[in-house]
Amino acid sequence: MRVFKPFKAGFPNFRIYLAQIWQRKAFIHELSLAERRLEHLDTVFGAIWTILSPMLMAAIYYLLVMVLQGGHKPPNFLVHLLAGVFIFNFISVSAMRCARSITNSGRLITNANFPRAILPLTQTWTSFLQLLPALAILLVAQVTLGPGLSWTLLWAIPDLAIIFIFAVGFGFLTATANVYFRDTAAALPYFNRVWTYASPVLYTADQVRNLSTHDSWMYVNPLFAPLEIWSGTIAQLQTFPLHLWLISLGGAVLFLMLGTAVFLYREGEFAVRV
Amino acid sequence: MSDSPVISLHDVSFTYRTQISRKPNFMEAVRNAGRGQRSTKLVHALKNVTFDVAQGEVLGIVGANGAGKSTLMRAIGGIVPPDEGEIRVRGEISALLALGVGFNPQLSGRENVILAGLATGLSREVVEEQYQAIVEFAEIEEFMDMPMRTYSSGMYSRLGFAVATNMNPDILLIDEALSTGDAHFKEKSSQRIKELKDSAGAMVIVSHSMATLKELSNRLLWMHKGEVIATGEPEKIIDAYSKFLKVGNINAVMEDF
């Protein structure tokens, strides 16, 4: 027996909702695989683009940093740069895809009943699947140009999970925002670009820390700590104190909760808004 | 348990805001902030609608354009939550409100059928089992591995119809979807709906074809501007509704109803 009532304070029943999403996990994965396959179908290089585009981006940033900073670079800087650029590319691609996930599915949303959250979730998962080949390249670079394999590298896995949680939450936010302001998707690339500059991608966290004695402001950026751990682990084989992990996890969970709340609160209205 | 209605609507109302001009952009939103909802209009799509659909019953819905028929279907299908009242539904719903909306034209027919099945929450095994029946019904076996953008519109909606009616729904909601494809497939799909009438728990059909409604439904519901005007025997309602279409005045028709 299903009961459709006015949403309690705007929210659907969370437990039932979660169960419905879990029931459709096979759908999310299959659709993501299909979308990944389709994305570069009409280009000559095809699927190679999923590797080529983050590498080209890394090359451009590398040149940029070379020009701006000259010869003084921290050790293993190229590995650090690749690690940061690949992750940031994942977050911006996911945010972009999520932003359009609801507004591009108008007919589906007005004619079929399903938990709407599977649309942005599918996009985040697709972006994650696209990240995997780039991570393979990163691993090769880490072994050949960087410090090489070590058990410390395993710390990158929980950090990647934190970054994924963040991407899901951020995706929910951009998906909802774009329903109300279609300009979101247009403004997002610039927003992401500025965000990249505010994160330890083109520079290392230590470089910023050396600039001033008051360095805690940089954690206002919820991606700062996860990226610091990510590239520090991979490029320097560093281990990080617990408080930094807690800041990372806290920021990601906060975004997940905020994104989920905003999305679910507005979801009932999507059918008349798209 | 089987005596209780399969679909039960109690005092359901649905209101939505619609943009008069277009979607607001950021600057307009800033400008309109604090000035009230100037660019939107309130639409009362459903007003205190109450009715039940019993097990095995086929309820037909008639009404002029803008009567709220599609909104009612969307509310029963759980697509839009009501603003007031309550809708109780027992069983799995399959909604044929528009055919093949979830299909991705770049993907093959086969992939789309599998995805459509998984999207309704069915397991992979169940979807694989249903696959053959769907393909046979749609009669497009040789096209199943081609991308759906190469399909004709008739093939497209045939596959949509086959998917929607082969997922063993308990409750089927059909919105004008009966006229699909060529004469042969039309015959086949109305045959299919008659079969489902026996196997499905209940059915709600919206149609402008009085002949279809007379043939399929046990009971008719007449809606006008979001309200239920009358419900009862198909012949009786069709008479009253046809008279209304000629006269254009509800009160005049309802006097001798």
Side-chain angles (χ1 to χ4, degrees):
Chain A
M1 173 72 83
R2 274 189 284 179
V3 182
F4 304 128
K5 279 190 289 199
F7 282 170
K8 206 185 283 172
F11 286 107
N13 181 318
F14 192 65
R15 218 161 42 87
I16 296 175
Y17 196 90
L18 217 57
Q20 284 178 335
I21 291 178
W22 187 246
Q23 206 183 9
R24 287 167 175 83
K25 59 186 185 304
F27 170 74
I28 293 175
H29 185 61
E30 285 295 321
L31 186 60
S32 294
L33 288 178
E35 287 202 350
R36 187 178 66 161
R37 203 170 53 241
L38 286 178
E39 178 147 88
H40 300 289
L41 203 64
D42 48 358
T43 61
V44 177
F45 286 119
I48 298 171
W49 273 110
T50 52
I51 299 169
L52 210 54
S53 71
M55 281 185 74
L56 286 173
M57 211 181 312
I60 291 167
Y61 280 136
Y62 190 69
L63 283 175
L64 188 75
V65 175
M66 288 273 281
V67 171
L68 290 178
Q69 286 193 342
H72 294 291
K73 260 178 242 30
N76 300 323
F77 184 73
L78 186 61
V79 178
H80 161 84
L81 187 70
L82 284 176
V85 167
F86 288 171
I87 285 296
F88 225 96
N89 189 53
F90 157 65
I91 290 164
S92 19
V93 168
S94 158
M96 264 325 272
R97 287 172 154 270
C98 287
R100 300 215 161 99
S101 64
I102 303 293
T103 46
N104 278 357
S105 313
R107 289 195 69 211
L108 190 60
I109 283 172
T110 48
N111 291 296
N113 173 25
F114 60 91
R116 310 303 187 204
I118 66 173
L119 295 172
L121 274 175
T122 303
Q123 297 309 324
T124 306
W125 188 244
T126 307
S127 315
F128 185 76
L129 293 179
Q130 285 175 334
L131 172 68
L132 295 179
L135 289 186
I137 291 185
L138 180 63
L139 192 66
V140 173
Q142 203 275 349
V143 172
T144 53
L145 307 168
L149 293 176
S150 153
W151 289 113
T152 312
L153 279 179
L154 291 179
W155 283 109
I157 295 169
D159 192 53
L160 188 59
I162 288 173
I163 290 166
F164 183 78
I165 292 171
F166 175 86
V168 171
F170 189 49
F172 281 152
L173 286 177
T174 61
T176 314
N178 203 48
V179 173
Y180 295 93
F181 307 112
R182 305 296 159 111
D183 313 51
T184 307
L188 209 49
Y190 306 101
F191 184 75
N192 285 334
R193 186 61 59 88
V194 173
W195 204 345
T196 314
Y197 298 152
S199 306
V201 174
L202 303 185
Y203 47 83
T204 64
D206 286 336
Q207 281 177 304
V208 187
R209 198 163 284 124
N210 293 339
L211 290 179
S212 82
T213 43
H214 300 286
D215 57 7
S216 46
W217 56 267
M218 60 197 188
Y219 294 115
V220 170
N221 173 2
L223 278 173
F224 200 98
L227 278 167
E228 182 180 353
I229 295 178
W230 173 253
S231 50
T233 304
I234 290 169
Q236 318 291 345
L237 296 181
Q238 266 178 287
T239 49
F240 290 88
L242 181 67
H243 76 269
L244 212 59
W245 281 96
L246 290 180
I247 291 172
S248 303
L249 186 64
V253 170
L254 193 74
F255 260 76
L256 180 67
M257 279 163 51
L258 186 71
T260 311
V262 168
F263 189 89
L264 293 190
Y265 186 65
R266 284 294 167 193
E267 190 200 64
E269 223 185 48
F270 288 169
V272 292
R273 283 282 188 171
V274 289
Chain B
M1 186 71 181
S2 62
D3 289 348
S4 66
V6 183
I7 303 170
S8 169
L9 278 81
H10 184 73
D11 216 9
V12 170
S13 294
F14 181 73
T15 313
Y16 64 88
R17 286 181 189 287
T18 181
Q19 257 97 35
I20 292 168
S21 52
R22 59 194 171 86
K23 305 275 184 280
N25 59 32
F26 180 70
M27 281 313 288
E28 280 171 354
V30 169
R31 244 180 275 135
N32 290 342
R35 292 194 203 169
Q37 302 265 0
R38 295 207 326 171
S39 61
T40 61
K41 181 178 182 287
L42 217 55
V43 178
H44 296 277
L46 298 176
K47 295 175 202 160
N48 308 97
V49 176
T50 300
F51 66 85
D52 288 343
V53 181
Q55 175 80 35
E57 193 177 20
V58 179
L59 179 74
I61 298 177
V62 290
N65 292 128
K69 304 185 296 289
S70 296
T71 306
L72 180 63
M73 295 292 249
R74 295 201 165 103
I76 299 173
I79 294 164
V80 291
D83 289 323
E84 284 166 43
E86 192 179 88
I87 301 167
R88 288 177 172 272
V89 174
R90 189 148 49 86
E92 277 308 311
I93 306 171
S94 181
L96 275 80
L97 303 183
L99 291 174
V101 279
F103 289 155
N104 182 333
Q106 299 292 334
L107 296 173
S108 70
R110 180 187 303 275
E111 289 168 311
N112 272 309
V113 169
I114 302 284
L115 281 172
L118 293 175
T120 59
L122 295 175
S123 73
R124 229 206 139 82
E125 293 74 47
V126 177
V127 178
E128 303 271 357
E129 274 170 37
Q130 296 292 333
Y131 179 78
Q132 207 46 44
I134 290 168
V135 175
E136 271 165 30
F137 186 81
E139 298 177 22
I140 49 170
E141 184 109 51
E142 65 270 36
F143 299 101
M144 287 311 283
D145 287 314
M146 286 163 62
M148 283 189 74
R149 65 187 151 76
T150 63
Y151 286 22
S152 72
S153 56
M155 284 154 66
Y156 204 94
S157 42
R158 266 153 67 169
L159 195 57
F161 183 89
V163 167
T165 54
N166 272 287
M167 293 297 174
N168 295 331
D170 303 314
I171 298 161
L172 201 57
L173 309 175
I174 304 175
D175 193 346
E176 320 263 41
L178 298 164
S179 42
T180 305
D182 53 23
H184 160 71
F185 196 77
K186 235 177 230 174
E187 177 56 38
K188 199 170 165 179
S189 51
S190 62
Q191 192 58 43
R192 175 89 190 131
I193 287 170
K194 273 175 223 157
E195 281 166 39
L196 286 169
K197 188 179 150 177
D198 302 326
S199 65
M203 209 185 279
V204 181
I205 300 179
V206 166
S207 179
H208 286 299
S209 157
M210 296 303 139
T212 308
L213 288 173
K214 207 177 263 183
E215 191 184 349
L216 288 173
S217 47
N218 313 110
R219 192 155 63 95
L220 276 192
L221 185 103
W222 172 15
M223 289 192 71
H224 190 69
K225 293 191 174 159
E227 287 174 283
V228 176
I229 301 296
T231 159
E233 291 283 305
E235 279 82 12
K236 229 170 146 186
I237 300 289
I238 287 174
D239 282 352
Y241 179 63
S242 312
K243 209 179 277 174
F244 159 72
L245 288 181
K246 273 185 217 130
V247 181
N249 183 336
I250 292 210
N251 294 329
V253 175
M254 292 309 287
E255 264 167 29
D256 44 282
F257 179 70

